Amino acid sequence: LETLLKELLYLQKYKLFSIVFSGNGPSGICLSYLLSGYTPYFKRHSLHPNPILQRKLEEAPEVSVLDQDLEYLSEGLEGRSHSPVALLFDTLQRPDTDFGGTAESVLTWWHEPHRAIPHLVLGRNAPGGAWHSIEGSMVTLSRGEWMGLPDLPFKEWLKQKRRGLRNNRATAEDIAQYYQHYVVKKGLQKNFKCGTVVTSVRKVSAESISNHSQKDLQEDSDLLWNSNEKNTEVYHVDGFFKTMEGDKEPFSIYAENVVLATGTYDNPTWLGVKGENLSYVHHQLSALEEAVKNNSVGIMSDPVLIVGAGLTAADAILFAHHCNIPVIHVFRRRVTDPGLIFNQLPKMMYPEYHKVHQMMKEQTAACAGPYEHYISLPEHHVLSFGKDKKCIFQDKNGCQKAYKISMALVLTGSNPNLSFLPNDGIDLAVDSDQPVNPKRNPIDVDPFTYECTQEKGLYALGPLAGDNFVRFVQGGALAVASSLLKKANKNPP
């Protein structure tokens, strides 16, 4: 409680910040690192496998990457992301990783405290964001080393724990711990305020903040923006701390710039069918883990229905299979659909997901296969959930069938919760008639600064901007840091 009170006093004392981030996952941590004076330079005498990029890097080795023209450096790069700056930062840190290479990073990091910009990182969980909400034993889709943040390789950290990577991949628990360790190791804790929920972000006139409080704050700290600037509008951020006793302590701060890095874990997608709000229908994998713990499902119970054909649905099937729980698996696509994630994963690297794909192919209701306790219903969708736990499905020809189930898990993805923004942030999306969605309708940002096209001073990072993998969210942090340093005149000429 004493720490919490200190944090509250800290916030009340310094109510004006250069930048506030909402979200403390990997993108928020990486941006905090870059805004804390940690500055990347091209490492002299290192050789990048891309000769064109190498030549560009050699043009001005004494100028930090943050201060260079990111558009020029990233021109012509190709890879597994649509963001040019994401590809740039990734290839600088892991030069030829997509080709199985192990070339070292061509970056060297210098701590230049005079370049730091005051900022505050607000998040519900400990640093690491949603990684703390994922079942700890789950293995990541990405290779373990791709989960690492700048200047502290994940593999090295794991070695210190005397553990290796399983099939080159890591568990969610390891990653959550690594992100917490990173914040401490790099001395970023003072910027992080955990257990906070942001309820509102609104633009207000700078003049509406009392001149008196501005004067006090300017005498007290350097956290206030320069009052001579033409900045007539600032962001007013409201929210609350959750105390140990479960109380809510409100806070209210102002910021010149706000970075949205909330991820998308908060809001599971609903099917929108009848009976979906019944108590046996769930939208998170944790419900199945809970049911197994308290023995409400088991080998003798009616099947568990799993809806969806993404990786979370696959994780649920693997978990149920491991516990010998019968499963009915319903999904809309064909098993051979190239858009299905399983058709895009290398078999050698992802044997367990390949196994789920095999089950989906071979074990349909029409023909029994070798896998016990599992039935796959491709090209089906749920019509309704009944109070008697009967679920009605329909296939592509309009034929209906009913199954009695013990519980349902609807695992068809999730959407960001942007209820703290005007109109739920819809006005910021690429298609401003539709809700923000990380895959289909991200927030519209400038590709080289990540500033929202519709709202100056507001930035979006990570899945909100369409970057869904940890290795690629870091390029967004580079773009934002570069833009904010220019605004703060902390870039050398």
Side-chain angles (χ1 to χ4, degrees):
L1 183 62
E2 192 183 332
T3 315
L4 180 74
L5 288 171
K6 276 184 190 163
E7 286 186 352
L8 284 168
L9 286 170
Y10 178 87
L11 274 184
Q12 282 157 5
K13 189 176 174 190
Y14 302 134
K15 280 197 175 172
L16 288 131
F17 283 81
S18 297
I19 301 110
V20 168
F21 320 177
S22 182
N24 65 1
S27 17
I29 297 171
C30 186
L31 181 54
S32 178
Y33 180 69
L34 292 166
L35 294 180
S36 298
Y38 290 96
T39 311
Y41 289 87
F42 175 56
K43 199 191 291 175
R44 299 287 176 105
H45 312 303
S46 59
L47 197 61
H48 196 283
N50 180 324
I52 298 168
L53 183 56
Q54 174 73 17
R55 199 177 67 240
K56 289 177 182 176
L57 292 166
E58 285 172 346
E59 285 169 13
E62 72 291 345
V63 179
S64 157
V65 174
L66 278 169
D67 306 323
Q68 295 198 35
D69 181 341
L70 298 180
E71 186 168 359
Y72 170 66
L73 285 181
S74 59
E75 193 180 9
L77 293 177
E78 291 179 355
R80 300 182 186 182
S81 169
H82 299 300
S83 159
V85 187
L87 290 172
L88 171 66
F89 200 35
D90 185 62
T91 193
L92 293 173
Q93 294 193 95
R94 288 171 279 269
D96 55 356
T97 188
D98 278 338
F99 303 102
T102 53
E104 276 190 22
S105 167
V106 298
L107 295 178
T108 182
W109 293 85
W110 290 82
H111 192 210
E112 301 172 338
H114 63 283
R115 301 192 64 186
I117 298 179
H119 61 276
L120 192 59
V121 188
L122 307 176
R124 290 169 185 260
N125 298 314
W131 286 98
H132 293 280
S133 311
I134 299 168
E135 162 62 29
S137 60
M138 288 296 169
V139 179
T140 61
L141 172 65
S142 294
R143 296 168 68 105
E145 62 263 35
W146 293 351
M147 308 306 290
L149 295 174
D151 203 31
L152 182 63
F154 180 73
K155 258 187 172 169
E156 278 182 25
W157 175 80
L158 211 55
K159 261 188 208 156
Q160 287 166 5
K161 298 194 74 181
R162 294 189 166 77
R163 277 221 301 291
L165 292 168
R166 193 181 99 198
N167 201 22
N168 275 325
R169 285 149 70 212
T171 66
E173 184 181 14
D174 283 336
I175 292 157
Q177 284 180 13
Y178 163 78
Y179 292 145
Q180 278 188 279
H181 172 80
Y182 186 93
V183 168
V184 174
K185 174 94 175 164
K186 300 296 183 187
L188 309 177
Q189 311 97 301
K190 63 184 184 300
N191 305 318
F192 282 73
K193 300 288 165 269
C194 302
T196 55
V197 177
V198 172
T199 53
S200 167
V201 174
R202 298 286 184 275
K203 249 191 176 169
V204 295
S205 150
E207 290 163 21
S208 68
I209 308 167
S210 103
N211 292 329
H212 174 68
S213 70
Q214 287 204 28
K215 183 174 175 291
D216 287 352
L217 279 156
Q218 257 175 326
E219 285 168 0
D220 222 7
S221 76
D222 62 350
L223 293 190
L224 187 58
W225 53 82
N226 184 344
S227 54
N228 300 327
E229 284 183 16
K230 298 173 187 129
N231 205 346
T232 55
E233 290 188 308
V234 293
Y235 287 96
H236 184 191
V237 181
D238 280 320
F240 59 84
F241 283 107
K242 285 181 282 192
T243 67
M244 299 294 279
E245 290 76 29
D247 298 329
K248 293 177 179 179
E249 292 277 358
F251 68 82
S252 188
I253 45 183
Y254 296 93
E256 267 184 295
N257 300 281
V258 170
V259 180
L260 304 173
T262 52
T264 63
Y265 198 75
D266 286 342
N267 244 2
T269 311
W270 283 47
L271 301 171
V273 301
K274 189 182 167 206
E276 195 171 1
N277 55 354
L278 291 166
S279 61
Y280 69 90
V281 183
H282 304 271
H283 295 82
Q284 282 180 320
L285 175 53
S286 52
L288 180 59
E289 292 151 12
E290 201 55 43
V292 168
K293 263 185 209 158
N294 62 31
N295 294 321
S296 57
V297 294
I299 191 164
M300 301 307 291
S301 55
D302 286 327
V304 169
L305 170 67
I306 294 171
V307 184
L311 297 172
T312 312
D315 285 336
I317 289 159
L318 289 165
F319 184 77
H321 191 64
H322 177 71
C323 301
N324 292 319
I325 292 163
V327 166
I328 296 171
H329 182 200
V330 172
F331 48 100
R332 286 174 176 264
R333 295 178 188 255
R334 286 176 294 115
V335 184
T336 52
D337 187 322
L340 205 64
I341 185 73
F342 306 105
N343 291 316
Q344 301 166 22
L345 297 177
K347 289 176 188 174
M348 293 298 286
M349 199 166 150
Y350 302 102
E352 73 280 42
Y353 289 138
H354 177 58
K355 179 181 177 179
V356 171
H357 196 206
Q358 287 293 109
M359 290 163 73
M360 289 161 70
K361 280 184 201 164
E362 296 174 17
Q363 192 92 4
T364 58
C367 53
Y371 304 100
E372 274 190 278
H373 312 307
Y374 172 89
I375 296 172
S376 139
L377 298 174
E379 298 182 88
H380 280 64
H381 62 271
V382 177
L383 283 183
S384 67
F385 297 102
K387 287 182 178 164
D388 54 359
K389 294 196 176 179
K390 271 205 180 121
C391 184
I392 314 286
F393 309 115
Q394 185 169 302
D395 68 13
K396 59 177 177 177
N397 303 317
C399 294
Q400 295 183 9
K401 47 191 85 159
Y403 281 91
K404 182 94 162 59
I405 59 173
S406 58
M407 68 185 290
L409 293 168
V410 177
L411 303 172
T412 52
S414 58
N415 290 309
N417 177 1
L418 298 175
S419 58
F420 54 87
L421 291 174
N423 197 22
D424 290 332
I426 289 174
D427 307 330
L428 305 173
V430 171
D431 177 354
S432 56
D433 292 329
Q434 298 292 324
V436 174
N437 178 283
K439 291 192 174 71
R440 291 181 295 281
N441 194 31
I443 288 177
D444 193 8
V445 296
D446 178 296
F448 300 103
T449 65
Y450 278 62
E451 192 166 19
C452 296
T453 313
Q454 306 299 331
E455 188 71 81
K456 296 299 162 221
L458 194 63
Y459 293 80
L461 272 182
L464 294 179
D467 294 335
N468 290 296
F469 288 100
V470 169
R471 67 184 277 206
F472 293 128
V473 304
Q474 299 173 47
L478 179 77
V480 174
S482 174
S483 169
L484 291 170
L485 283 160
K486 283 188 180 76
K487 282 186 182 180
N489 293 325
K490 297 221 178 187
N491 286 46

